[in-house]
Amino acid sequence: MKNRLLTRKLTQAKRKTQTCRVFDLKINQSHLSKLELQKLKMFFVEAKWLYNYILNQPDIFKFDTKTKSIQKLNKNKEIETVKLQYLPAKNRQDVYYGLIENIKNLNKKKKKGNKVGRLKFKSNIKSINLSQLGVTHKIISKNKLKLNGIKRPLRVFGLSQVTPDMEISNAKLLNLLDGYHIKLTTFSEKIQEIHDHKESIGIDFGIKTNLTLSDGKTFNVSIPETERLKRLQRKFSKSLKGSKNRYKLKSTVAKEYLKITNRKKDVSNKIVSGLLKNYNQIIIQDENLRGWQSGWFGKQVQHSCLGSIKAKLKLYDTRVKVINRYCPTTKMCFKCGTLNQHITLADRTFSCDCGYSEDRDIKAAKTILKIGMEHIEYKPVEKNKYS
């Protein structure tokens, strides 16, 4: 026990000096045989059977992980005995240990005074832990990975991103709408970044122009629903409830939504990467995007990836500064500091009595830059409870 605690402390100290990166690797199903596809499918089916069977035991903590014959409900809700043929022994242990960990976490929350329920039976399982490198999974080459239970190495997309200097921590096998994926968690030594450019930039989030930079550059990151999605939704609404056709359409609609989500991720990754490469310091405002979405601009915010860009930028706390959302960046003139109380949403040009006039979004970005550089703090105005 002491050795385990010591090892954990050493690992925690080591992780502080490392960078964590998670890679999404997609299995190339075009090179899989019918038997291999069947095995991948049955991994998740048998994991669900085993999870529900363990959860139904009178004493979960005394369950024998070597058990192969279990009981499950069939389509007619009748109990039948089945044998686990596809799910390897180590993966069966991971299903059990994952369930035990969930129980312990619930117990910790309960001791803190939180109201907790109990674990429920699952209708499907979408992820399987691959906890031991070299046993549950093993990297063979730049594009091949070996999974426990499948004889042939699998071809995967994106494995070339994982370099030999990276330490692989753990992995998960995922069953997603567009196929099977492997999420690989890696750790590598932190590299001190050297930036030749010293320019700082302020960014204003908006609806008409999604991103406006203080140097005048603009980006629109709106990705609306496709015509195919609208057509599928109309078809789905007219389908018969409980029919096989409706079930197939539901899956097709979900896949189309996934494509749109992937496009948004791609756009947000490219924009964040470009900003970090070209600017030394980035200053943004902590905009209430959720409030925008629940108000007049629900569709515009939903179809954009503003939230994703904001969340990703906030991760780089050493290079990205977030100013208070209550700073009057739209109304304040960054040259003289006067507040223009009469500017409305319809006014696209900001004009000040000092003679300064410019596009309102560019002016707001410049104000954000100035406030961030001068470390000005603002607090919300207290409202009179009788007003």
Side-chain angles (χ1 to χ4, degrees):
M1 186 69 179
K2 289 183 179 179
N3 292 335
R4 190 180 297 176
L5 290 172
L6 180 62
T7 305
R8 184 179 295 177
K9 287 182 180 179
L10 290 173
T11 304
Q12 288 175 349
K14 183 181 177 182
R15 294 291 185 245
K16 290 180 180 179
T17 63
Q18 294 178 319
T19 302
C20 178
R21 293 185 69 188
V22 180
F23 296 96
D24 186 357
L25 314 175
K26 186 176 180 181
I27 296 175
N28 187 353
Q29 293 184 214
S30 63
H31 290 267
L32 298 180
S33 65
K34 287 184 179 180
L35 179 60
E36 288 167 340
L37 284 170
Q38 176 70 7
K39 283 184 177 180
L40 283 171
K41 177 185 174 183
M42 291 306 297
F43 280 176
F44 295 93
V45 174
E46 290 189 350
K48 179 193 71 173
W49 292 347
L50 180 62
Y51 180 93
N52 291 337
Y53 178 71
I54 296 172
L55 197 58
N56 196 40
Q57 297 303 300
D59 192 347
I60 295 174
F61 292 91
K62 292 183 179 180
F63 180 77
D64 185 8
T65 56
K66 294 181 180 179
T67 303
K68 286 188 177 181
S69 295
I70 62 172
Q71 293 179 331
K72 73 173 188 72
L73 292 177
N74 59 18
K75 292 181 180 179
N76 299 322
K77 304 295 182 182
E78 298 170 347
I79 298 175
E80 64 178 12
T81 303
V82 293
K83 190 175 181 180
L84 301 177
Q85 301 177 0
Y86 297 94
L87 193 65
K90 181 57 182 171
N91 297 112
R92 295 200 297 269
Q93 288 179 359
D94 290 338
V95 171
Y96 172 70
Y97 293 141
L99 197 153
I100 295 297
E101 192 66 27
N102 290 339
I103 293 173
K104 289 180 178 179
N105 290 334
L106 286 176
N107 187 39
K108 287 178 183 177
K109 287 185 177 181
K110 190 175 182 180
K111 286 181 178 178
K112 289 180 180 179
N114 297 327
K115 187 177 180 181
V116 298
R118 54 171 293 176
L119 294 177
K120 297 180 180 180
F121 296 109
K122 292 190 176 183
S123 59
N124 55 60
I125 283 182
K126 294 295 183 183
S127 69
I128 296 175
N129 286 330
L130 306 174
S131 60
Q132 193 171 356
L133 181 65
V135 178
T136 56
H137 59 292
K138 184 180 180 182
I139 295 176
I140 305 297
S141 63
K142 287 186 177 180
N143 63 347
K144 287 186 179 181
L145 186 142
K146 179 77 171 59
L147 277 183
N148 189 22
I150 299 178
K151 291 183 179 180
R152 229 176 23 146
L154 306 176
R155 292 191 181 187
V156 293
F157 298 111
L159 192 56
S160 58
Q161 302 172 86
V162 183
T163 56
D165 62 301
M166 291 180 179
E167 179 187 341
I168 299 173
S169 174
N170 55 45
K172 281 190 176 184
L173 178 64
L174 306 178
N175 182 12
L176 303 180
L177 291 168
D178 61 340
Y180 298 102
H181 293 242
I182 295 174
K183 283 284 180 75
L184 210 62
T185 304
T186 65
F187 288 90
S188 58
E189 293 299 323
K190 289 182 179 179
I191 301 173
Q192 188 68 31
E193 296 181 354
I194 300 172
H195 304 284
D196 297 330
H197 43 271
K198 299 297 181 183
E199 188 179 356
S200 299
I201 198 76
I203 302 176
D204 176 58
F205 292 90
I207 298 299
K208 187 174 182 180
T209 305
N210 298 141
L211 293 175
T212 305
L213 276 58
S214 55
D215 59 3
K217 294 178 183 177
T218 59
F219 298 94
N220 280 316
V221 291
S222 179
I223 301 175
E225 295 178 350
T226 60
E227 290 299 322
R228 183 171 185 267
L229 178 60
K230 294 176 183 178
R231 188 169 64 251
L232 286 170
Q233 286 174 328
R234 288 194 296 267
K235 196 174 180 181
F236 178 78
S237 65
K238 296 176 183 177
S239 61
L240 182 65
K241 289 185 178 180
S243 64
K244 288 184 178 180
N245 186 40
R246 185 180 178 87
Y247 179 79
K248 290 178 181 177
L249 280 171
K250 185 178 180 181
S251 177
T252 309
V253 169
K255 286 179 182 178
E256 191 65 22
Y257 269 116
L258 182 64
K259 288 180 182 178
I260 296 172
T261 303
N262 289 339
R263 290 190 197 118
K264 288 181 180 179
K265 285 181 180 179
D266 181 58
V267 170
S268 62
N269 286 337
K270 287 176 179 176
I271 287 178
V272 171
S273 176
L275 290 171
L276 293 170
K277 283 180 182 177
N278 296 322
Y279 302 101
N280 189 35
Q281 187 177 24
I282 300 168
I283 302 170
I284 62 174
Q285 188 168 12
D286 187 21
E287 301 285 6
N288 183 20
L289 299 180
R290 185 171 292 181
W292 292 5
Q293 188 172 3
S294 61
W296 293 349
F297 310 108
K299 271 191 177 180
Q300 291 93 322
V301 176
Q302 182 185 345
H303 293 164
S304 72
C305 49
L306 288 174
S308 177
I309 292 171
K310 177 185 170 185
K312 287 173 182 175
L313 284 173
K314 288 173 78 173
L315 293 174
Y316 299 89
D317 53 349
T318 56
R319 294 181 55 195
V320 178
K321 184 176 181 180
V322 183
I323 67 171
N324 198 303
R325 69 175 55 175
Y326 300 106
C327 297
T329 55
T330 301
K331 295 181 179 181
M332 189 176 78
C333 175
F334 80 96
K335 286 197 170 182
C336 66
T338 306
L339 292 180
N340 183 353
Q341 300 288 357
H342 304 290
I343 190 168
T344 64
L345 287 173
D347 300 326
R348 303 313 305 170
T349 302
F350 179 89
S351 298
C352 182
D353 294 337
C354 67
Y356 171 74
S357 179
E358 195 172 10
D359 179 88
R360 63 178 284 159
D361 294 332
I362 297 175
K363 193 280 314 172
K366 288 180 178 179
T367 307
I368 290 170
L369 178 62
K370 182 180 180 180
I371 291 172
M373 297 299 288
E374 295 179 359
H375 309 286
I376 303 172
E377 293 292 337
Y378 285 86
K379 292 183 179 180
V381 179
E382 293 184 6
K383 293 182 178 180
N384 189 338
K385 63 180 180 179
Y386 299 107
S387 59

